[in-house]
Amino acid sequence: MLSAALPALLSKPARGLADPFELTTRVAGATGAKAEIPALAEMADRKGGSRQLKEARRLQSMLIRQ
């Protein structure tokens, strides 16, 4: 479900995704979900300190953990 929903959300200029990213990070942690989502990786690599970018980085880290 993560792999399907996130690319669609990230395909256009993103706003207001901090809360959904936080929730998705919690769900991924609880379920052990792993995925490579190029659009998320791209967002997580952006410079900046907004909450949205921080949550994108947390989610990216959770989804690619070993």
Side-chain angles (χ1 to χ4, degrees):
M1 187 160 88
L2 295 171
S3 298
L6 285 176
L9 288 173
L10 296 172
S11 66
K12 48 192 158 200
R15 284 183 165 198
L17 294 177
D19 289 337
F21 284 166
E22 181 180 6
L23 175 62
T24 305
T25 301
R26 289 180 185 194
V27 171
T31 62
K34 293 183 183 181
E36 289 189 28
I37 303 171
L40 178 62
E42 199 174 291
M43 177 179 269
D45 286 341
R46 291 183 193 160
K47 294 182 188 228
S50 70
R51 179 167 172 248
Q52 181 166 297
L53 289 177
K54 289 177 183 177
E55 294 298 338
R57 291 179 191 121
R58 284 184 59 225
L59 177 55
Q60 173 69 6
S61 179
M62 178 66 68
L63 291 175
I64 63 169
R65 70 193 180 285
Q66 299 296 328

